[in-house]
Amino acid sequence: MDIGVLTVPLGDQPLEEALDYLSDLGVGAVEIGTGGFVGDDHLERSEYLGDEEAQADLLEAVESRDLRISALATHNNPLHPDEGRAARADTELREAIELAAELGVDTVTTFSGLPGGSPDASVPNWITAPWPPEHEDALDYQWEEVAIPYWRDIAQYADEKGVNVALEMHPNMLVYEPEGLLALREATNERIGANFDPSHLYWQDIDVVEAIRFLGERDAIHHFHAKDTKVYEANARTKGVLDTTNYADVAERSWLFRSIGYGHGEEHWKDVVSTLRMVGYEGALSIEHEDALTSGREGLEKAVDVLQRAVFETQPGEAYWA
């Protein structure tokens, strides 16, 4: 298990400078954006797809700094009811899978996407309750007519390329919690799994350690985002956690994304790491910085500091006491 970083907060500097900085921090892996909401500041697909020389230069830049690429990231909505937007997201995803295969990277991180509530919808519709009855009908439409056919096709394509697709369970997407993730995996194939990001689970009051067990025991965790969240009860007590307050209005929100250790303490993160090992996950803990109370670099540095004391650097020894 190693500490990684999604490089988006460092998009204002060239990739090699960002890699130097991360290597000096003691990071072991990078997750690099290739389009969608995370952008492509460090890896524009058109410059690398099919270009063996450019790919070799990229891998040399990473590996010469004792780093590896844990995943390519392209977070978008390929199920969008706007056909143009859905088509762009689908192209981004398929090209990211293709590029990952060419680079020898085994994982692409993304979202499940979110359809509209009917064939004539124009905007996505996040449905969180089965009543009134038309909501349940809309949810059936989203899963059976849109999501499952699309993701079956992507899962087959990913399998042909030998690449895992790791979906971040994200509210305002169709898959936002572990049972939904498992349902989509079971309807497609094992290339579909989780980019397990606990930050969205904390404010839904999901037990993160139990969720790791739930998915990990089914070999359904392909990647992990190290990202924390703090619920601020003074606001949550009166307006709950389905909070539409702008992320920048930090004092008014019920919850905020926080740097590792500022939502949950070091003991909790040691439990997270230990549980990941119990279920057989030995990949990257990829830090995603979205803490509005600190800068990207300070947030990354503080997260690395906590995780360095939490991760195991060796394999378990023989249980001589057993």
Side-chain angles (χ1 to χ4, degrees), residues 43-108:
L43 188 56
E44 188 173 342
R45 298 184 315 280
S46 62
E47 294 183 5
Y48 291 90
L49 269 169
D51 189 331
E52 294 183 3
E53 183 176 351
Q55 292 172 16
D57 289 344
L58 171 64
L59 293 174
E60 168 64 19
V62 173
E63 293 167 2
S64 66
R65 294 166 172 82
D66 294 323
L67 298 168
R68 66 183 182 88
I69 302 175
S70 68
L72 302 185
T74 175
H75 299 175
N76 212 327
N77 184 1
L79 307 184
H80 201 289
D82 181 303
E83 293 183 1
R85 295 181 64 171
R88 286 193 297 274
D90 177 64
T91 296
E92 290 170 349
L93 177 56
R94 290 177 186 274
E95 289 185 352
I97 293 169
E98 182 180 2
L99 181 56
E102 292 178 357
L103 289 168
V105 175
D106 65 6
T107 303
V108 167

Side-chain angles (χ1 to χ4, degrees), residues 4-318:
V5 168
L6 176 61
T7 65
V8 173
L10 307 176
D12 60 347
Q13 62 185 140
L15 177 61
E16 294 205 6
E17 290 183 16
L19 296 176
D20 285 335
Y21 167 72
L22 294 174
S23 179
D24 289 344
L25 282 183
V27 167
V30 288
E31 178 186 0
I32 307 178
T34 63
F37 296 120
V38 296
D40 61 359
D41 289 331
H42 289 149
L43 188 56
E44 188 173 342
R45 298 184 315 280
S46 62
E47 294 183 5
Y48 291 90
L49 269 169
D51 189 331
E52 294 183 3
E53 183 176 351
Q55 292 172 16
D57 289 344
L58 171 64
L59 293 174
E60 168 64 19
V62 173
E63 293 167 2
S64 66
R65 294 166 172 82
D66 294 323
L67 298 168
R68 66 183 182 88
I69 302 175
S70 68
L72 302 185
T74 175
H75 299 175
N76 212 327
N77 184 1
L79 307 184
H80 201 289
D82 181 303
E83 293 183 1
R85 295 181 64 171
R88 286 193 297 274
D90 177 64
T91 296
E92 290 170 349
L93 177 56
R94 290 177 186 274
E95 289 185 352
I97 293 169
E98 182 180 2
L99 181 56
E102 292 178 357
L103 289 168
V105 175
D106 65 6
T107 303
V108 167
T109 57
T110 189
F111 292 140
S112 65
L114 183 65
S118 68
D120 58 354
S122 60
V123 297
N125 189 345
W126 186 40
I127 298 166
T128 59
W131 188 91
E134 60 266 28
H135 289 225
E136 188 171 22
D137 293 340
L139 195 60
D140 288 342
Y141 161 78
Q142 290 179 321
W143 276 91
E144 300 299 328
E145 297 188 39
V146 183
I148 289 176
Y150 176 80
W151 284 106
R152 277 180 177 159
D153 188 47
I154 290 292
Q156 181 179 350
Y157 180 72
D159 192 46
E160 291 168 357
K161 298 292 185 181
V163 173
N164 291 326
V165 178
L167 303 180
E168 184 174 335
M169 296 173 284
H170 196 299
N172 281 313
M173 294 291 166
L174 190 63
V175 170
Y176 57 92
E177 43 74 32
E179 290 195 2
L181 186 284
L182 192 63
L184 188 61
R185 176 181 170 87
E186 291 176 345
T188 55
N189 68 30
E190 293 184 356
R191 289 294 179 182
I192 303 299
N195 177 27
F196 195 107
D197 187 327
S199 67
H200 308 289
L201 306 185
Y202 289 128
W203 66 263
Q204 294 182 72
D205 201 27
I206 293 172
D207 187 306
V208 163
V209 170
E210 289 303 312
I212 291 171
R213 286 184 179 273
F214 176 77
L215 292 177
E217 290 171 354
R218 294 161 175 82
D219 296 322
I221 300 176
H222 290 332
H223 197 256
F224 188 91
H225 266 179
K227 183 178 172 189
D228 214 337
T229 290
K230 173 74 173 178
V231 175
Y232 292 92
E233 296 292 347
N235 293 328
R237 277 194 293 268
T238 56
K239 64 176 178 178
V241 294
L242 293 176
D243 192 351
T244 58
T245 306
N246 190 286
Y247 283 122
D249 294 337
V250 292
E252 305 304 318
R253 284 192 52 79
S254 296
W255 57 268
L256 291 173
F257 296 130
R258 298 305 317 274
S259 303
I260 297 295
Y262 284 81
H264 296 78
E266 187 171 317
E267 181 179 358
H268 170 78
W269 281 97
K270 288 178 177 178
D271 197 13
V272 166
V273 167
S274 297
T275 307
L276 286 168
R277 170 159 280 191
M278 285 180 188
V279 300
Y281 180 81
E282 290 290 352
L285 307 177
S286 187
I287 298 165
E288 181 183 22
H289 172 82
E290 291 182 350
D291 188 339
L293 296 179
T294 186
S295 67
R297 284 164 179 76
E298 183 176 16
L300 290 176
E301 290 166 12
K302 290 185 181 298
V304 169
D305 178 59
V306 173
L307 291 177
Q308 282 177 331
R309 292 192 297 277
V311 297
F312 299 107
E313 297 181 354
T314 63
Q315 291 298 314
E318 182 182 354

